[in-house]
Amino acid sequence: MVRFLLVFVVMLSFCNNSYAQCCAQGCSMTSSNIFDVLEKHHLELTGFLKHSNSNQYFNGSNKYYFTNAPLSLKNTSFDYFGISIGYGITNKLSIEAQGGYFGNKTQNFVDGAWLVGNGLSDWEVNIKYNFYNSKDSTWAMTISPGCKLPLGNYKDFTPQGVKLSRDVQSGTGAYAGSLEYACKVNIKKKFILVGSAEYEYNGINPEQYQYGDKLTITLSTKLKMYKKLSLVGMMKYEKTSNDYFYDQEIVASGYQKITLIPALSIDFRKDWSFTVIPEIPVYQNFNNIQFAQQYTVSCALSKELNLKKISNHTIPKWNK
Amino acid sequence: MKKIIFYLIIITVSILTINCKKEGSYFPDNSSVKTDTSSVYSFTSLEAIPTTIHIGDIVNIYATATGKGIAYTWSSSHAEIFGSGSHIQSSAQPCCLGRQKIGCTVSDGVHTITKSVVFNVIN
């Protein structure tokens, strides 16, 4: 436990040290493992890269084209470099912290203008509790409350003294709370299906901006393809409500989206795994005119460590 | 424990060494930072032309100030800002219909004056 706290403090201090550089909006990794709680004393470290690109306006569910708007968006993109640290407090309870750095959060405009922001993102912390397991191991359920800490910068300026637009800031400036419920069904001990539902509430930031609430429902399964190579198939539905600014509803905000996520995962050496996670939107419906996501792709490298085992090796026998 | 620290160092170093594009903005006819060397400090006006635009159109905003070594700082509640110095350009995306406020702070290191101007974005 002391070791876990030490690791956690080290990671948070790293996070604070980087704060001065600048900072963005939460950008969590789409995990291929929504359900599993880490075993007691197990530590999981994950590093991931996420690239996202958008290049099209939508009005409702249809593509929208501006005829003459020199400062309409041509494309937007970002690279996100994240880390996730999970620790099993007991066999049924684990804690996870996730954050990272936005590199090149870019808006390119039709006439050649661009805006770029970089910086540390907000951090997410959540606790996952496995509260039910059926006797025959067919059903299992977890609940996961969490919160977002606004460690990212939401009012970054260029060196020339010009404030960057909200969309290229690396943080939201607002706290958020979330609650996730996940259910795993082991059908005839061959086929595992995981369903989850998450609700996220976003607070108001000091600039009086409030991002809309978000509901995410996922359905996923993992299929073993070849020895240590697995395919994770996931369908994700997201619905966000409208944003608010000074209590005024922003009409062109909020959407519904269905995303297909065919992730490929390979386990190698001992306790290492590498996952490639493409996210392809198959249906998007926006309130009014908004810029829509084209694709997102993530690569994640994970390592699970048994701290109990390590401490047994490192403490000399005579000291036990 | 050593292993954990080793992995943490690898992750930390890899994030810190990421080579990012330099933060900032670019506008094709970007006006450079103007430094007025007049000795009398004043911030006389902040003007938006035109005062009503369509989504994605350009509004020019001019700050008129005099003083020695003055610097301009621009901020916006919602709209995008391009350029720097005494003349910037702004625009708004579909999210930002209605009144948009742009603030400009002029400082010579001793005095600081802030003014704001409003323009309207229509569909």
Side-chain angles (χ1 to χ4, degrees):
Chain A
M1 188 64 187
V2 173
R3 284 192 174 85
F4 162 69
L5 287 172
L6 185 67
V7 170
F8 199 62
V9 168
V10 167
M11 294 316 295
L12 284 179
S13 57
F14 151 68
C15 170
N16 286 331
N17 289 340
S18 307
Y19 181 74
Q21 204 177 347
C22 71
C23 301
Q25 207 165 320
C27 180
S28 55
M29 180 181 70
T30 302
S31 176
S32 58
N33 182 9
I34 288 171
F35 188 83
D36 291 340
V37 173
L38 286 166
E39 284 177 52
K40 188 178 180 180
H41 297 312
H42 278 229
L43 178 77
E44 190 180 58
L45 297 172
T46 304
F48 63 97
L49 305 176
K50 190 169 190 172
H51 174 79
S52 179
N53 195 67
S54 309
N55 68 351
Q56 182 67 59
Y57 281 100
F58 269 63
N59 186 1
S61 56
N62 301 313
K63 288 183 178 180
Y64 183 84
Y65 300 92
F66 281 102
T67 48
N68 181 26
L71 285 179
S72 58
L73 288 165
K74 186 180 173 189
N75 59 60
T76 66
S77 63
F78 69 79
D79 297 310
Y80 182 74
F81 310 91
I83 50 172
S84 170
I85 311 153
Y87 180 77
I89 298 166
T90 70
N91 283 333
K92 289 191 166 192
L93 182 71
S94 63
I95 185 167
E96 189 181 290
Q98 197 179 104
Y101 184 89
F102 276 103
N104 305 335
K105 212 171 180 196
T106 307
Q107 287 182 313
N108 288 309
F109 296 85
V110 168
D111 73 340
W114 50 256
L115 294 171
V116 175
N118 298 309
L120 196 74
S121 71
D122 294 339
W123 274 67
E124 288 172 26
V125 179
N126 59 61
I127 291 167
K128 197 182 280 184
Y129 179 59
N130 174 211
F131 68 94
Y132 176 76
N133 288 301
S134 66
K135 284 178 184 171
D136 59 355
S137 303
T138 306
W139 292 86
M141 293 174 199
T142 61
I143 194 156
S144 176
C147 66
K148 189 169 72 183
L149 308 172
L151 300 176
N153 200 350
Y154 61 95
K155 43 184 179 185
D156 217 10
F157 282 73
T158 67
Q160 290 77 32
V162 177
K163 191 182 173 194
L164 291 166
S165 68
R166 182 170 286 113
D167 290 339
V168 296
Q169 298 283 352
S170 61
T172 59
Y175 286 91
S178 65
L179 186 66
E180 184 180 17
Y181 162 82
C183 178
K184 183 161 89 171
V185 190
N186 197 340
I187 302 164
K188 292 180 181 174
K189 292 183 180 174
K190 283 183 179 177
F191 183 70
I192 293 171
L193 202 63
V194 176
S196 78
E198 185 187 20
Y199 180 77
E200 185 183 310
Y201 172 81
N202 288 293
I204 304 169
N205 79 1
E207 293 185 327
Q208 297 299 306
Y209 195 90
Q210 183 178 28
Y211 288 95
D213 298 348
K214 186 176 182 182
L215 174 71
T216 308
I217 296 170
T218 66
L219 196 63
S220 65
T221 187
K222 194 171 185 176
L223 303 167
K224 202 160 212 177
M225 292 177 74
Y226 177 75
K227 288 182 179 175
K228 293 184 172 182
L229 183 71
S230 305
L231 176 74
V232 179
M234 187 188 282
M235 184 81 95
K236 183 166 75 173
Y237 167 77
E238 291 167 276
K239 183 179 177 53
T240 66
S241 60
N242 290 72
D243 298 354
Y244 280 81
F245 187 49
Y246 279 102
D247 288 335
Q248 289 278 325
E249 185 184 79
I250 294 171
V251 180
S253 64
Y255 60 85
Q256 291 184 69
K257 187 159 76 174
I258 296 172
T259 311
L260 203 62
I261 305 165
L264 212 53
S265 176
I266 186 161
D267 298 328
F268 62 98
R269 293 188 67 183
K270 198 185 175 189
D271 304 324
W272 283 88
S273 76
F274 178 73
T275 314
V276 180
I277 311 162
E279 293 180 46
I280 307 147
V282 289
Y283 171 76
Q284 300 184 87
N285 190 350
F286 295 89
N287 298 332
N288 212 289
I289 303 166
Q290 291 183 55
F291 211 59
Q293 197 174 58
Q294 189 187 15
Y295 68 85
T296 299
V297 64
S298 314
C299 299
L301 184 64
S302 293
K303 164 77 178 169
E304 196 171 323
L305 299 155
N306 184 346
L307 295 189
K308 192 82 176 174
K309 207 172 159 187
I310 291 168
S311 66
N312 287 343
H313 281 294
T314 50
I315 298 169
K317 279 181 184 172
W318 53 264
N319 205 18
K320 282 186 177 176
Chain B
M1 193 62 190
K2 281 180 183 173
K3 269 189 174 179
I4 300 165
I5 293 169
F6 174 72
Y7 293 125
L8 288 174
I9 289 170
I10 287 180
I11 292 168
T12 308
V13 169
S14 60
I15 288 175
L16 291 177
T17 52
I18 290 157
N19 184 20
C20 292
K21 199 171 177 179
K22 199 179 173 187
E23 191 169 81
S25 64
Y26 167 76
F27 195 74
D29 55 354
N30 192 4
S31 59
S32 59
V33 178
K34 288 173 186 170
T35 304
D36 198 319
T37 53
S38 312
S39 57
V40 181
Y41 177 81
S42 70
F43 183 6
T44 48
S45 71
L46 185 66
E47 195 180 13
I49 301 171
T51 51
T52 299
I53 59 165
H54 289 276
I55 294 164
D57 280 350
I58 297 167
V59 57
N60 287 284
I61 297 171
Y62 300 93
T64 309
T66 55
K68 197 172 183 180
I70 56 174
Y72 299 85
T73 305
W74 295 89
S75 64
S76 146
S77 53
H78 231 64
E80 286 114 8
I81 300 173
F82 303 93
S84 57
S86 61
H87 167 218
I88 57 126
Q89 290 177 307
S90 185
S91 183
Q93 297 304 308
C95 63
C96 314
L97 292 169
R99 285 158 61 86
Q100 295 301 318
K101 193 174 174 181
I102 300 283
C104 178
T105 299
V106 177
S107 174
D108 65 351
V110 181
H111 313 90
T112 300
I113 301 174
T114 302
K115 285 182 186 286
S116 61
V117 67
V118 171
F119 64 94
N120 204 24
V121 182
I122 56 173
N123 212 338

